[in-house]
Amino acid sequence: MRPLAAVLALVLVALPLLVHASELVAEVTAVAALLCAAGILTLSIPVLTAGSALALIGYAVAVRLSAGPPNLPTALAFGIALVLLLEVVDFTGRFRGAVVAPSVFVAQARFWLKLSGAAAAAGIVLAAGAMAVAWVAPLSAHPAGPMVGALGALAAVVGTLGLRLKRQ
Amino acid sequence: MTPRLTRLNLSALTLVAWALLLGVLVGRPEPFLTTVPVLVALACARLRMDARDVVITHEVSADRLFEGDRLTVTVWITAGGPIPLIELREALPSVVALETGHRRAVFTLDKGEEVRWRFEVRCLARQELSFGHVRFRVWDRQGLHLLEAEHREAKRVMVYPRSVPLRRLPRPRQTQTSVGNYVSPTFGEGLEPGEIRPFVPGDRVRHVNWRASLRLGELYVTHYHQERNADVVLMLDTLAAAGPRGTTSLDLCVRAAASIASAYLARKDRVGLIDYGGMLRWVGPGSGRAQHARIMDSLLRAEVIFTYVAKDLALVPPRILPPQALIIALSPFLDARFVKAATDLAARGLDVVVVAVSPVELTRAAVAPSPVVDVACRLWALEWRARLGELRRQGLMVVEWRAGEPLESALAVFGRHRHRVAVAGR
């Protein structure tokens, strides 16, 4: 499973460079690539998370430097590569040293394909919804708007997880 | 059963927060959109099942084995509901080595599906093993939720000391009254022909020696020697042991005791066992397969129990230590109390022979080689041989047995020595 993780990590660090190839982005993604490689080799999720966070910085810098219109397919591909990378490395680390039935690999691959499809569909729906909202009710360019939205989204995620934990 | 969220949730949440923060900082929608797949994964994660949905059946291929034998462990897993990922792990005892398969396995099961997980272990040393403790974890597909439980179905497996066939054994000086394989000096019913004498009324016709009768012109009969058995008591030193786990001096003594007991019992002799250690335990002399099983069970549990107290053999009932029995003492002679016990028995007039298992080579094999170790082992070997020499001077018949050397060749020395003693005694 490590080669698959390596391919996903490559996608993760290559996408920012595809969006905007600059020295700054290259430096950030190079460090991210090193951390991701270390995470994959040691099957360490914390190291991989650090590498992914750096790759996110590289991507954010790249989209900021590129003056073009929003590139939604690249963003979705980046997000899908990110989640799959985390899951593949976690799966490999969890079952290292154990005998894994072939049916497990097949079922897992099928699930990851489904997850990618669902994520892509959700991203398209959300982007379409956002565009519709922007067309119907254009918001002011005040920076507090997206900040409040982001905090709200984060609070929703934390709240959902907390509720699930409480139920268990 | 402990359902919980895994650390992967924290990583995913950290990345979502980080992407949202970056989105706000750079003022672009793309970082927000990168969180969508992660959020979808978090939203999809669920594990709606109970540990009771997992039915585990545990089987072992045998419940009685000998050292070095292989044991096949089979675990059947049946799913009461769909199981996305189940990871099973069986705790193995330290004295077994995995031969084939793995002791950890991962499966995915649909509702009602059954899978078989099998692995093979080699039992390295005698012990009462316990199998059937299977820990399992059920994960959701993403590894975000986890359910832990365990299955206990105790399966006891007895690993007995391996015995080797022995043809030549120390011959007891005195026989008993029951029928056995030793030719007794007394005449009676038997197979071994003795003297020929003239026929007297009362002699049985089937004992008439026709060849001698025809040659000498009158009836002669052949007398036969009786064939009798003997009592053999094995005395095992469990006061101290040396050497690496699985091949300690006690393990070697136990293997030797098992081989000797099996060989004497096959000759219809009565065999007993005294476990001379921290706890004085014994098995009274007896014969047959049941006695073999009793001795093997006792040898299985033989272990060093440390004590400062010298056990008095006077505590042993006379029926356990019959006066005409052959005593075979098996010891590494690390503890002076066993030396004293063996010499006391010989002083009482009992027929005592000693199999001394050298602890020097066993200890040398367990430590890293170095010049200091080499010198120390050579000095120890000299001291140990001096101790055996002292025992020989006290009239005990002692044979040294080293690990790797066939037991039969060591015991053959007894045969020659005791024959010389017997000839000299006539």
Side-chain angles (χ1 to χ4, degrees):
Chain A
M1 298 291 268
R2 277 195 175 106
L4 176 61
V7 170
L8 290 167
L10 201 64
V11 170
L12 209 61
V13 295
L15 277 175
L17 289 169
L18 284 177
V19 171
H20 184 83
S22 70
E23 199 176 325
L24 178 63
V25 175
E27 281 169 4
V28 174
T29 51
V31 179
L34 281 176
L35 278 175
C36 285
I40 292 166
L41 285 174
T42 57
L43 297 174
S44 163
I45 291 295
V47 176
L48 191 72
T49 308
S52 304
L54 267 178
L56 264 171
I57 292 175
Y59 182 67
V61 171
V63 293
R64 177 73 180 137
L65 293 177
S66 70
N71 191 346
L72 300 184
T74 318
L76 276 176
F78 188 91
I80 289 168
L82 183 70
V83 74
L84 288 183
L85 177 64
L86 272 181
E87 291 207 358
V88 167
V89 173
D90 179 60
F91 180 87
T92 314
R94 258 186 292 152
F95 304 132
R96 181 171 43 174
V99 58
V100 182
S103 60
V104 172
F105 290 113
V106 174
Q108 202 64 27
R110 201 178 293 148
F111 172 77
W112 283 331
L113 280 176
K114 275 186 196 170
L115 181 68
S116 306
I124 290 164
V125 168
L126 274 176
M131 278 191 280
V133 168
W135 184 67
V136 171
L139 295 172
S140 66
H142 196 277
M147 194 181 291
V148 169
L151 284 174
L154 189 62
V157 172
V158 173
T160 309
L161 283 173
L163 197 65
R164 199 174 280 174
L165 263 176
K166 202 176 172 184
R167 268 191 211 146
Q168 286 176 357
Chain B
M1 187 179 68
T2 320
R4 60 184 167 89
L5 293 175
T6 63
R7 285 189 306 171
L8 192 61
N9 285 276
L10 190 63
S11 292
L13 208 59
T14 306
L15 289 173
V16 167
W18 190 236
L20 292 176
L21 181 67
L22 287 170
V24 170
L25 287 177
V26 299
R28 297 274 300 193
E30 287 94 336
F32 291 104
L33 211 56
T34 58
T35 62
V36 173
V38 185
L39 291 173
V40 168
L42 285 170
C44 291
R46 65 191 57 186
L47 190 63
R48 284 181 184 164
M49 68 166 299
D50 197 85
R52 281 168 293 188
D53 289 339
V54 182
V55 180
I56 292 178
T57 315
H58 193 278
E59 287 175 8
V60 287
S61 59
D63 57 357
R64 284 161 191 269
L65 295 167
F66 288 103
E67 287 172 320
D69 283 353
R70 287 182 176 197
L71 178 79
T72 305
V73 180
T74 311
V75 181
W76 297 89
I77 307 113
T78 312
I83 301 174
L85 284 169
I86 182 167
E87 178 194 1
L88 298 116
R89 183 188 184 119
E90 170 139 16
L92 294 180
S94 60
V95 289
V96 302
L98 198 67
E99 282 285 308
T100 57
H102 291 78
R103 63 177 193 155
R104 264 178 79 204
V106 182
F107 299 101
T108 182
L109 289 98
D110 291 328
K111 187 178 179 180
E113 192 182 343
E114 187 178 61
V115 291
R116 189 188 67 182
W117 168 39
R118 176 182 276 189
F119 57 91
E120 209 173 41
V121 294
R122 184 182 289 279
C123 305
L124 301 174
R126 71 191 160 86
Q127 197 154 22
E128 187 178 340
L129 303 175
S130 178
F131 288 89
H133 184 196
V134 181
R135 290 194 179 96
F136 65 91
R137 288 170 168 180
V138 179
W139 307 80
D140 66 340
R141 284 259 171 243
Q142 290 121 308
L144 295 168
H145 285 76
L146 164 68
L147 180 94
E148 281 183 319
E150 60 181 11
H151 169 82
R152 283 181 187 273
E153 190 182 344
K155 293 280 165 66
R156 299 269 166 206
V157 178
M158 307 286 193
V159 182
Y160 291 110
R162 182 168 284 283
S163 54
V164 293
L166 298 173
R167 286 173 301 170
R168 284 176 291 183
L169 290 163
R171 189 190 156 94
R173 281 191 197 148
Q174 290 171 310
T175 54
Q176 301 294 323
T177 52
S178 301
V179 175
N181 282 9
Y182 302 106
V183 177
S184 166
T186 54
F187 293 114
E189 291 296 324
L191 293 172
E192 193 72 26
E195 63 179 25
I196 297 171
R197 62 160 177 78
F199 179 87
V200 292
D203 281 338
R204 299 176 71 175
V205 176
R206 63 193 290 255
H207 288 168
V208 171
N209 188 327
W210 295 108
R211 184 175 289 180
S213 302
L214 285 170
R215 188 178 293 167
L216 299 169
E218 59 177 321
L219 283 176
Y220 276 80
V221 289
T222 307
H223 268 195
Y224 289 90
H225 288 285
Q226 288 181 335
E227 280 149 4
R228 292 290 175 245
N229 72 345
D231 281 353
V232 179
V233 177
L234 303 170
M235 195 169 141
L236 188 68
D237 179 2
T238 55
L239 285 165
R245 188 180 169 86
T247 50
T248 62
S249 56
L250 177 61
D251 290 321
L252 289 186
C253 285
V254 164
R255 281 172 205 153
S259 304
I260 293 169
S262 303
Y264 276 115
L265 285 169
R267 295 180 173 195
K268 302 187 187 72
D269 293 324
R270 297 198 322 147
V271 180
L273 175 73
I274 295 175
D275 183 347
Y276 189 85
M279 284 180 68
L280 195 58
R281 291 179 288 207
W282 57 75
V283 178
S287 55
R289 293 178 69 180
Q291 180 69 5
H292 185 257
R294 273 194 289 272
I295 288 176
M296 284 296 186
D297 279 338
S298 190
L299 288 174
L300 179 71
R301 292 179 182 90
E303 59 179 342
V304 174
I305 299 171
F306 182 76
T307 178
Y308 285 109
V309 182
K311 300 292 174 184
D312 190 358
L313 279 174
L315 296 171
V316 180
R319 64 183 172 80
I320 306 297
L321 207 54
Q324 293 180 329
L326 165 67
I327 315 289
I328 301 179
L330 299 128
S331 169
F333 288 103
L334 292 168
D335 198 303
R337 287 171 291 179
F338 191 84
V339 179
K340 186 175 181 303
T343 48
D344 281 354
L345 287 175
R348 280 195 227 168
L350 287 160
D351 184 11
V352 182
V353 296
V354 175
V355 178
V357 176
S358 172
V360 184
E361 284 78 13
L362 296 170
T363 309
R364 193 196 288 258
V367 294
S370 72
V372 175
V373 170
D374 192 44
V375 169
C377 286
R378 284 167 65 187
L379 282 172
W380 187 15
L382 286 172
E383 187 188 344
W384 195 72
R385 287 207 180 117
R387 190 177 293 171
L388 295 191
E390 182 64 30
L391 284 172
R392 287 190 183 103
R393 277 193 292 281
Q394 288 180 17
L396 285 167
M397 274 182 279
V398 183
V399 68
E400 195 178 338
W401 181 44
R402 291 187 186 84
E405 184 185 333
L407 179 61
E408 181 143 26
S409 64
L411 294 177
V413 177
F414 271 138
R416 290 197 293 274
H417 184 63
R418 287 172 74 80
H419 180 69
R420 279 206 300 275
V421 169
V423 169
R426 276 180 198 169

